[in-house]
mmCIF file of all heavy atoms in Angstrom:
data_model
loop_
_atom_site.group_PDB
_atom_site.id
_atom_site.type_symbol
_atom_site.label_atom_id
_atom_site.label_comp_id
_atom_site.label_asym_id
_atom_site.label_seq_id
_atom_site.Cartn_x
_atom_site.Cartn_y
_atom_site.Cartn_z
ATOM 1 N N ASN A 586 106.739 59.652 98.849
ATOM 2 C CA ASN A 586 107.562 58.501 98.243
ATOM 3 C C ASN A 586 106.745 57.728 97.375
ATOM 4 O O ASN A 586 106.900 56.479 97.182
ATOM 5 C CB ASN A 586 108.063 57.612 99.453
ATOM 6 C CG ASN A 586 106.992 57.106 100.252
ATOM 7 O OD1 ASN A 586 105.859 57.529 100.230
ATOM 8 N ND2 ASN A 586 107.345 56.087 101.126
ATOM 9 N N GLN A 587 105.702 58.385 96.835
ATOM 10 C CA GLN A 587 104.798 57.845 95.801
ATOM 11 C C GLN A 587 104.916 58.405 94.418
ATOM 12 O O GLN A 587 104.979 59.545 94.238
ATOM 13 C CB GLN A 587 103.372 57.921 96.224
ATOM 14 C CG GLN A 587 103.004 57.303 97.628
ATOM 15 C CD GLN A 587 103.004 55.855 97.691
ATOM 16 O OE1 GLN A 587 102.684 55.116 96.775
ATOM 17 N NE2 GLN A 587 103.599 55.255 98.815
ATOM 18 N N LEU A 588 105.144 57.540 93.452
ATOM 19 C CA LEU A 588 105.181 57.897 92.060
ATOM 20 C C LEU A 588 103.796 57.747 91.419
ATOM 21 O O LEU A 588 103.260 56.571 91.360
ATOM 22 C CB LEU A 588 106.216 57.076 91.261
ATOM 23 C CG LEU A 588 106.268 57.284 89.737
ATOM 24 C CD1 LEU A 588 106.691 58.703 89.397
ATOM 25 C CD2 LEU A 588 107.186 56.290 89.160
ATOM 26 N N LEU A 589 103.205 58.743 90.941
ATOM 27 C CA LEU A 589 101.836 58.790 90.312
ATOM 28 C C LEU A 589 102.025 58.861 88.803
ATOM 29 O O LEU A 589 102.613 59.844 88.273
ATOM 30 C CB LEU A 589 101.079 59.889 90.838
ATOM 31 C CG LEU A 589 100.893 60.158 92.290
ATOM 32 C CD1 LEU A 589 100.029 61.255 92.736
ATOM 33 C CD2 LEU A 589 100.438 58.788 92.927
ATOM 34 N N LEU A 590 101.563 57.821 88.060
ATOM 35 C CA LEU A 590 101.647 57.744 86.657
ATOM 36 C C LEU A 590 100.285 57.793 86.042
ATOM 37 O O LEU A 590 99.355 57.191 86.490
ATOM 38 C CB LEU A 590 102.347 56.399 86.174
ATOM 39 C CG LEU A 590 103.711 56.127 86.656
ATOM 40 C CD1 LEU A 590 104.233 54.797 86.157
ATOM 41 C CD2 LEU A 590 104.778 57.257 86.284
ATOM 42 N N GLU A 591 100.179 58.531 84.956
ATOM 43 C CA GLU A 591 98.881 58.566 84.075
ATOM 44 C C GLU A 591 99.263 57.660 82.854
ATOM 45 O O GLU A 591 100.016 58.186 81.998
ATOM 46 C CB GLU A 591 98.606 60.020 83.760
ATOM 47 C CG GLU A 591 98.210 60.859 84.993
ATOM 48 C CD GLU A 591 97.897 62.294 84.498
ATOM 49 O OE1 GLU A 591 97.522 62.504 83.327
ATOM 50 O OE2 GLU A 591 97.863 63.296 85.409
ATOM 51 N N MET A 592 98.573 56.574 82.756
ATOM 52 C CA MET A 592 98.926 55.584 81.723
ATOM 53 C C MET A 592 98.287 56.151 80.425
ATOM 54 O O MET A 592 97.099 56.579 80.452
ATOM 55 C CB MET A 592 98.377 54.251 82.097
ATOM 56 C CG MET A 592 99.023 53.561 83.251
ATOM 57 S SD MET A 592 100.818 53.515 83.034
ATOM 58 C CE MET A 592 100.883 52.330 81.696
ATOM 59 N N PRO A 593 99.043 56.199 79.449
ATOM 60 C CA PRO A 593 98.543 56.636 78.081
ATOM 61 C C PRO A 593 97.552 55.616 77.527
ATOM 62 O O PRO A 593 97.551 54.386 77.739
ATOM 63 C CB PRO A 593 99.731 56.716 77.210
ATOM 64 C CG PRO A 593 100.717 55.669 77.774
ATOM 65 C CD PRO A 593 100.445 55.668 79.261
ATOM 66 N N LYS A 594 96.519 56.167 76.778
ATOM 67 C CA LYS A 594 95.524 55.349 76.101
ATOM 68 C C LYS A 594 96.127 55.011 74.734
ATOM 69 O O LYS A 594 97.079 55.555 74.231
ATOM 70 C CB LYS A 594 94.118 56.130 75.962
ATOM 71 C CG LYS A 594 93.771 56.635 77.290
ATOM 72 C CD LYS A 594 93.432 55.488 78.355
ATOM 73 C CE LYS A 594 92.893 56.023 79.600
ATOM 74 N NZ LYS A 594 92.734 54.945 80.652
ATOM 75 N N SER A 595 95.437 54.074 74.084
ATOM 76 C CA SER A 595 95.989 53.541 72.866
ATOM 77 C C SER A 595 96.031 54.566 71.738
ATOM 78 O O SER A 595 97.009 54.712 70.955
ATOM 79 C CB SER A 595 95.069 52.344 72.347
ATOM 80 O OG SER A 595 95.025 51.314 73.260
ATOM 81 N N ASN A 596 95.015 55.453 71.769
ATOM 82 C CA ASN A 596 95.152 56.508 70.756
ATOM 83 C C ASN A 596 96.065 57.672 71.006
ATOM 84 O O ASN A 596 96.218 58.586 70.178
ATOM 85 C CB ASN A 596 93.655 57.217 70.540
ATOM 86 C CG ASN A 596 93.128 57.802 71.842
ATOM 87 O OD1 ASN A 596 93.559 57.322 72.901
ATOM 88 N ND2 ASN A 596 92.232 58.700 71.724
ATOM 89 N N GLU A 597 96.682 57.573 72.142
ATOM 90 C CA GLU A 597 97.681 58.588 72.498
ATOM 91 C C GLU A 597 99.162 58.082 72.216
ATOM 92 O O GLU A 597 100.085 58.831 72.376
ATOM 93 C CB GLU A 597 97.607 58.882 74.074
ATOM 94 C CG GLU A 597 96.299 59.592 74.432
ATOM 95 C CD GLU A 597 96.166 59.791 75.895
ATOM 96 O OE1 GLU A 597 97.099 59.262 76.695
ATOM 97 O OE2 GLU A 597 95.225 60.444 76.357
#
Side-chain angles (χ1 to χ4, degrees):
N586 59 347
Q587 304 288 327
L588 172 64
L589 307 182
L590 300 179
E591 297 181 18
M592 296 302 296
K594 305 301 180 184
S595 298
N596 59 333
E597 298 174 350

